[in-house]
Amino acid sequence: FWHIPKSGGTTVKSIYECLGQTLANRAGADPRYRHQNRKKVIAFQPWPGFSRASYVNVDTTNKPGLDRAKNMGLVQSGLVDMIITSDITYAVE
């Protein structure tokens, strides 16, 4: 998903969260969840009981995070329903 700021992207993310989808964006690599340094892609629920959404442990909102996701085999893992990034050109390389 190509997130363009101020174009409704946050609403789209909220809808996918409500649907219980697994997302790749900044939240998955947040240090407070303690999954950001794992060597393998995992999906987890950061807010159980509050949100049905799961996140994978990569940050796809910046180039280092996109590189890490690629090196970890994010797409091949099949764990993610939606990859969210503002840098679509870099993401598809």
Side-chain angles (χ1 to χ4, degrees):
F1 174 72
W2 182 12
H3 184 202
I4 301 170
K6 306 298 180 200
S7 67
T10 301
T11 301
V12 171
K13 288 189 288 185
S14 295
I15 291 169
Y16 275 83
E17 287 173 342
C18 286
L19 293 171
Q21 300 293 298
T22 301
L23 309 175
N25 78 346
R26 182 175 300 131
D30 190 315
R32 70 183 137 174
Y33 305 118
R34 299 184 181 158
H35 298 296
Q36 77 278 7
N37 293 324
R38 292 192 182 208
K39 304 294 182 207
K40 182 179 175 185
V41 177
I42 62 159
F44 66 97
Q45 286 188 301
W47 309 287
F50 177 74
S51 172
R52 293 179 22 208
S54 295
Y55 289 85
V56 291
N57 58 325
V58 296
D59 180 355
T60 56
T61 63
N62 57 55
K63 289 178 181 177
L66 287 166
D67 288 339
R68 182 171 176 264
K70 181 180 178 180
N71 292 334
M72 292 173 68
L74 174 63
V75 173
Q76 296 84 353
S77 75
L79 290 175
V80 68
D81 296 307
M82 178 184 272
I83 298 170
I84 300 164
T85 188
S86 294
D87 196 346
I88 194 72
T89 303
Y90 192 80
V92 298
E93 291 178 353

